[in-house]
Amino acid sequence: MEDTELGIPLEGAIIRAWDGREYVCDADGKAVISAPDDRTVIIRAAYPGYESGRTALAPETAKLSLGLRLSGVMESRELIIEASRPETGETKTGRSVAVSEREIAQTGEIGIIQDVMTTIKLLPGVGYAGFFNAQPSIRGGDPGDMSAFLDGYYIDNPYHWGGGFSIFDPRMVESAQLSHGVFSVRYGHTISGILEVTSKKPSPTETEFELSVNTSAANFNLSFPLGKGGIMFMGRVTYYDPVVWLAKQLAGSISELNVINYVRVAPYIRNGTITANYRFFDDLEFQAAGFWGMDGVGVSFENSSNEDGLHSNSDVSDDYVNYQGFITAGLSWNPRNDMLLKGTVGAGYHQMTIDGVESYDISKEFSDEFNARYASFLSGFASFKDPYNFTTETVFDENTINANAQGRIDWDWDIGKGFLGAAGIQELFSHYTDKGFYRLLMETSFRGLSNDDKAKVASQLGQYALPPELWDYLIIHYPTSYAPNVDNHIFSTSGYALVEYKPPDGRFGAELGLRLDHFFLLGKGFSVSTSPVLNPRLSTDFNVLKDRGLIESLDLSAGTGLFSSINNMVSMVEERFNLSEGKPNRSWTSVLGAKITFPYGLSFNIEGYYKYVFDRAYIPVEAGIGELKPKPSFDGEGRIWGIDVMLQKIQSRYWDGWVSYSFNWAKYRDPQGGNSSMGYSGGNRGTDWYFPSYHRFHNLNLILNIKPTPRINIYTHFGFADGTQLTRITGPITSYPVYVLDQDVFIEKYRRAGVRDENNRATPTLSLDAKLSILGHNEKKKTQYELYVALENMLALVYSAQGNTRFNTYTGKEDTGSNSASYGLPIPIPSFGFKISY
């Protein structure tokens, strides 16, 4: 890189590669970058005071020269070299792992919904979540605890379809970084991990256009230059109606797909994104982003069946609609050549509406087994009728709205001699409302009821004589309800300060910081405030070896620190909960890691970690007759440790990819959850230590890209995850009496004895995906295209993870085979796509 007119090298010039990675030129104006050998890519160059440069890098190009021209005269000014904010879009052992635009395109642009989370779920430390789930567990943490940011803006709900997929379309993303170690005190609002997504930036000099069509959606990107910046429009819309129609046709021959017949309104996603940036002066730059999206689905089902003596009529109608949008803007200013001041503000809106009614009418004769055991006890009851008839109805009606505003100011100061100081403040305000009505049906043993509810049942049945042993295990079926009436104003205030040391030789680095978080909730007739919590963190890096034989570098890292977050369920509290104080979730995390870099772009990374979780929020729920009674608690604990390994080969001519393996051990305890019928974030698993439902010990992912020619890429993914915990069956399926309280009738149901066994788990989950991409361009290489075909879940026809068998709770009939525990569709999933860009 050199000055076009003077021919002098431009030390410190920034080269931005096609995948979003940045390279800094050395004293000779040179930089070594990695580039794919299968297609032509565009690289950009920038240097303060110079016009930005842009050129095409053709396959197999070994050396390229690029000159920049001064954009004007600068008098009595020093040139300021502005680097990326620390820990943004970079992989750092013990802190974070990042994926580039190219890696996201290879792994995330696949399937019926293309999603950045498809790529994130392949990284070390990320638990297997299944097909329709964009909320994985991060290093044993609760799936809902991962925080997401887009260009520095905190997103309240970064999901479509209730968490099935994320809002991050791969074509809107330049890079993504998952921070799940001891990351900087600049970031908070989590005790598990942070997903930082950087959106694509428009070119300041070229008009760019991209259009893609795939199995279920169409996408477009349109960018306009503004001289010193640009503006980009992006959009996505699904067209699932033909996919649903095809699935309905296949349901006739594949019984597992019969559920598709329920769909009345095909699932849909529609969203749009705008990003813009403009550099007013050499030391002042403006950035902005906006997002709007909606998604929904509707199901309706009516059916009558008469099988195994059970006659039932079903009527189901459910609708789900979700709206969300936000806008954010920021200014970056260099008041001096050694300082950076950045301010960001934003506002967002999220509304979710659920409207559903499910009713069933059931009639059946009592079995001979039941009559032999219980008829003599129950024959005197007017409620004992053979055959019996009863109806059930559940109602889901809820409308939640969350409007938020947020702002932050960050200040960095290059103190000199390798030291960097930084400080910042952040404020997040939310106005959360939740209105609706839920009618649920519960079944609880008589002895498990509260004293008041026991009295209600006894007064209704007391006129009949029941033997004591029947009272002990008589099951009561009763309706309960919950009508949320939430109107809360929530303030989350944070501040931080840090000192970072990174000398020029790079042999040792460290960051010591302190973060303060405070939470305050103002509701109707009550308020809740937490005590301010201090979160100190220390991270260190050591370069042990450099350029020794086959080892280019050996680096060690160690870190420890405290983290805090607020459980989203706390936003739903009301005055009737009698909550006098609250606490944020806390964790103490320590990480030890090592990274070895070899020639030819090969690297090996291993990290071990331990987390102690304390003051964890969970909500035991007393499901009483007539009303649910939530009882938030803040004394939950967790113990988590594990190892993450990653062997990676960066992009090369013939092959690249990575292997990631994670071992995770995670147990939680809810001291106040022993007597609860229900619970959120735990709360109903007793007072003993337990593995959470999402826990898996082992996760393995193998990603391999093979490039036989520059225009062909073959992507393959193999995944392995051991099973989740299963109840161990200890007895046969037997019938038992159930008293339906609101209809004064006895019915017969079936159950199977079982106990919780930590060593009893479902069989492993195996996944195999493949994608064939054909790449090309026109003669002038300004127009590029890609055509791909893919097949996910290829092993579904020959293997599916298995668990306990299922059975009909009204007839006792056991299903043939065992219960599938694969958390995915039972068939291979084909997909295709075409993309063209200019």
Side-chain angles (χ1 to χ4, degrees):
M1 187 75 60
E2 64 179 14
D3 184 299
T4 302
E5 298 175 346
L6 301 178
I8 60 175
L10 298 180
E11 179 182 2
I14 302 296
I15 298 177
R16 181 180 290 275
W18 83 103
D19 59 0
R21 295 182 180 178
E22 293 184 348
Y23 302 85
V24 181
C25 294
D26 60 19
D28 296 323
K30 297 180 180 180
V32 179
I33 68 174
S34 60
D37 294 327
D38 54 359
R39 66 188 181 102
T40 298
V41 296
I42 303 298
I43 61 173
R44 299 178 176 87
Y47 193 75
Y50 284 73
E51 296 178 354
S52 297
R54 172 187 172 95
T55 188
L57 182 62
E60 301 182 3
T61 300
K63 184 178 181 180
L64 183 69
S65 298
L66 182 63
L68 299 183
R69 188 184 302 275
L70 280 169
S71 60
V73 178
M74 302 177 63
E75 298 180 355
S76 303
R77 294 283 307 275
E78 291 185 77
L79 295 181
I80 300 171
I81 309 297
E82 182 181 327
S84 299
R85 175 173 294 281
E87 298 195 18
T88 299
E90 60 180 335
T91 296
K92 298 193 69 174
T93 302
R95 297 173 179 80
S96 61
V97 57
V99 285
S100 66
E101 179 184 349
R102 178 62 175 167
E103 291 165 333
I104 292 172
Q106 290 173 333
T107 59
E109 293 181 10
I110 188 174
I112 56 177
I113 295 293
Q114 299 181 353
D115 188 1
V116 169
M117 284 304 301
T118 302
T119 302
I120 299 301
K121 290 192 287 186
L122 304 178
L123 299 177
V126 181
Y128 176 81
F131 174 72
F132 189 79
N133 188 354
Q135 295 179 283
S137 169
I138 307 298
R139 286 188 169 175
D142 187 281
D145 188 67
M146 184 185 75
S147 297
F149 293 81
L150 177 65
D151 295 337
Y153 177 85
Y154 172 75
I155 304 176
D156 164 60
N157 178 52
Y159 303 106
H160 287 306
W161 294 344
F165 297 95
S166 81
I167 66 173
F168 302 123
D169 181 353
R171 292 178 177 83
M172 66 177 279
V173 174
E174 184 175 274
S175 65
Q177 175 182 286
L178 177 65
S179 300
H180 51 26
V182 181
F183 49 85
S184 173
V185 293
R186 302 173 190 269
Y187 308 103
H189 300 294
T190 183
I191 61 172
S192 296
I194 288 177
L195 177 62
E196 294 180 83
V197 175
T198 303
S199 64
K200 287 184 177 179
K201 299 299 185 292
S203 168
T205 58
E206 301 285 345
T207 298
E208 298 176 327
F209 176 74
E210 181 179 292
L211 176 66
S212 66
V213 178
N214 56 63
T215 308
S216 58
N219 308 66
F220 81 91
N221 290 8
L222 181 60
S223 170
F224 296 102
L226 299 176
K228 294 184 178 181
I231 185 169
M232 177 179 287
F233 302 89
M234 295 168 278
R236 173 168 65 173
V237 59
T238 59
Y239 36 79
Y240 248 108
D241 297 84
V243 178
V244 171
W245 176 86
L246 178 60
K248 288 183 177 181
Q249 308 310 306
L250 294 175
S253 56
I254 304 176
S255 60
E256 289 87 350
L257 291 178
N258 283 334
V259 68
I260 201 68
N261 292 311
Y262 295 6
V263 177
R264 174 169 45 83
V265 177
Y268 62 88
I269 294 175
R270 302 175 188 127
N271 59 43
T273 306
I274 300 176
T275 64
N277 68 298
Y278 193 84
R279 184 174 288 276
F280 296 101
F281 309 102
D282 297 319
D283 57 7
L284 183 63
E285 183 178 12
F286 170 79
Q287 291 182 324
F291 174 87
W292 174 87
M294 66 179 296
D295 57 274
V297 65
V299 298
S300 182
F301 179 71
E302 293 184 7
N303 184 52
S304 295
S305 66
N306 194 350
E307 184 178 356
D308 299 320
L310 176 70
H311 180 75
S312 63
N313 296 311
S314 307
D315 188 357
V316 177
S317 178
D318 293 312
D319 290 283
Y320 162 84
V321 180
N322 182 65
Y323 301 94
Q324 55 187 314
F326 59 84
I327 185 170
T328 178
L331 280 175
S332 298
W333 176 45
N334 296 102
R336 292 178 11 185
N337 63 346
D338 58 357
M339 288 186 182
L340 172 64
L341 186 65
K342 185 173 182 179
T344 305
V345 296
Y349 177 85
H350 171 224
Q351 179 178 6
M352 181 187 69
T353 301
I354 300 175
D355 185 8
V357 178
E358 301 177 4
S359 61
Y360 302 89
D361 182 79
I362 299 173
S363 62
K364 183 181 176 293
E365 293 183 353
F366 289 103
S367 67
D368 293 338
E369 174 195 357
F370 184 91
N371 284 326
R373 296 184 61 186
Y374 303 110
S376 59
F377 298 136
L378 302 177
S379 58
F381 286 77
S383 306
F384 183 70
K385 302 174 183 179
D386 194 5
Y388 64 82
N389 178 271
F390 81 109
T391 61
T392 68
E393 183 180 73
T394 55
V395 177
F396 307 90
D397 183 7
E398 185 176 18
N399 182 57
T400 64
I401 298 176
N402 187 7
N404 69 79
Q406 54 187 282
R408 63 181 293 165
I409 298 175
D410 299 277
W411 173 70
D412 289 15
W413 177 28
D414 185 356
I415 303 173
K417 296 185 178 180
F419 286 94
L420 175 74
I425 56 173
Q426 305 160 15
E427 180 66 38
L428 173 61
F429 165 76
S430 298
H431 181 201
Y432 180 83
T433 62
D434 185 2
K435 314 289 182 181
F437 176 78
Y438 284 87
R439 185 182 192 270
L440 306 175
L441 300 174
M442 302 295 299
E443 288 187 1
T444 305
S445 66
F446 178 80
R447 60 187 175 186
L449 296 173
S450 66
N451 291 331
D452 290 342
D453 288 344
K454 284 180 180 178
K456 295 178 183 178
V457 175
S459 65
Q460 190 160 314
L461 286 176
Q463 55 191 347
Y464 305 103
L466 279 178
E469 63 269 20
L470 189 58
W471 280 108
D472 286 340
Y473 56 74
L474 179 65
I475 302 299
I476 310 300
H477 175 107
Y478 59 91
T480 189
S481 64
Y482 179 65
N485 185 24
V486 180
D487 188 356
N488 291 333
H489 299 79
I490 306 160
F491 301 83
S492 180
T493 305
S494 304
Y496 72 87
L498 65 88
V499 175
E500 181 180 353
Y501 176 67
K502 186 181 295 184
D505 61 10
R507 299 305 295 264
F508 172 75
E511 179 184 306
L512 176 64
L514 178 65
R515 181 180 179 89
L516 182 146
D517 292 313
H518 179 255
F519 173 84
F520 176 72
L521 185 150
L522 178 63
K524 293 192 299 185
F526 76 106
S527 64
V528 177
S529 179
T530 68
S531 299
V533 295
L534 298 177
N535 295 318
R537 299 173 201 168
L538 171 65
S539 297
T540 57
D541 301 287
F542 306 88
N543 177 250
V544 180
L545 296 175
K546 183 173 289 188
D547 297 325
R548 291 283 186 90
L550 293 177
I551 298 178
E552 290 187 350
S553 68
L554 169 60
D555 299 282
L556 301 180
S557 67
T560 187
L562 293 174
F563 299 81
S564 62
S565 71
I566 291 294
N567 191 312
N568 289 334
M569 301 303 299
V570 177
S571 304
M572 301 173 61
V573 300
E574 303 179 44
E575 184 179 13
R576 54 180 164 167
F577 290 8
N578 297 318
L579 187 64
S580 59
E581 64 175 356
K583 294 181 180 179
N585 297 334
R586 303 291 306 280
S587 75
W588 172 46
T589 301
S590 297
V591 178
L592 181 65
K595 181 178 181 179
I596 305 175
T597 303
F598 302 97
Y600 306 107
L602 190 66
S603 64
F604 175 78
N605 190 85
I606 182 170
E607 297 180 18
Y609 59 89
Y610 173 80
K611 293 197 292 186
Y612 174 63
V613 179
F614 57 101
D615 292 344
R616 187 179 67 89
Y618 60 96
I619 305 181
V621 179
E622 181 183 321
I625 296 175
E627 185 181 9
L628 294 175
K629 299 177 181 178
K631 299 180 178 180
S633 298
F634 300 91
D635 58 355
E637 293 181 90
R639 295 172 182 167
I640 305 168
W641 66 274
I643 298 173
D644 293 335
V645 179
M646 187 174 189
L647 177 65
Q648 185 176 24
K649 175 72 167 67
I650 64 172
Q651 296 176 15
S652 64
R653 167 62 184 87
Y654 292 102
W655 69 278
D656 57 65
W658 69 82
V659 179
S660 67
Y661 167 75
S662 298
F663 173 84
N664 178 263
W665 188 97
K667 274 192 171 184
Y668 291 90
R669 190 172 77 94
D670 308 324
Q672 307 300 320
N675 298 318
S676 301
S677 304
M678 301 173 58
Y680 296 103
S681 298
N684 63 336
R685 301 293 299 273
T687 58
D688 295 332
W689 291 92
Y690 63 88
F691 289 110
S693 60
Y694 50 82
H695 174 260
R696 296 172 185 266
F697 285 111
H698 307 280
N699 285 275
L700 172 71
N701 286 289
L702 169 62
I703 290 85
L704 179 63
N705 291 288
I706 302 175
K707 309 165 186 178
T709 71
R711 294 192 174 189
I712 294 179
N713 186 91
I714 302 172
Y715 161 77
T716 57
H717 162 242
F718 172 76
F720 168 90
D722 71 331
T724 54
Q725 186 175 317
L726 285 178
T727 298
R728 181 167 60 85
I729 298 172
T730 59
I733 299 171
T734 58
S735 66
Y736 64 99
V738 176
Y739 179 63
V740 183
L741 182 67
D742 61 320
Q743 298 174 50
D744 190 25
V745 62
F746 279 97
I747 65 172
E748 177 186 13
K749 293 192 73 173
Y750 288 81
R751 61 188 171 190
R752 180 169 54 194
V755 296
R756 191 172 72 192
D757 185 348
E758 294 180 351
N759 299 315
N760 189 47
R761 291 184 172 252
T763 59
T765 296
L766 303 178
S767 58
L768 181 62
D769 313 319
K771 181 174 76 169
L772 171 64
S773 299
I774 301 176
L775 310 168
H777 53 77
N778 66 356
E779 293 183 0
K780 295 183 179 180
K781 301 180 181 180
K782 286 190 174 183
T783 301
Q784 301 178 21
Y785 66 84
E786 176 183 351
L787 174 67
Y788 81 84
V789 291
L791 190 63
E792 295 179 286
N793 203 29
M794 295 168 61
L795 298 177
L797 296 179
V798 296
Y799 176 81
S800 178
Q802 302 296 309
N804 293 331
T805 56
R806 289 185 294 230
F807 62 92
N808 189 310
T809 57
Y810 291 102
T811 66
K813 182 179 179 180
E814 189 172 15
D815 293 345
T816 303
S818 60
N819 175 27
S820 172
S822 63
Y823 306 93
L825 293 179
I827 60 174
I829 307 167
S831 61
F832 62 87
F834 176 75
K835 176 172 62 176
I836 185 170
S837 61
Y838 173 81

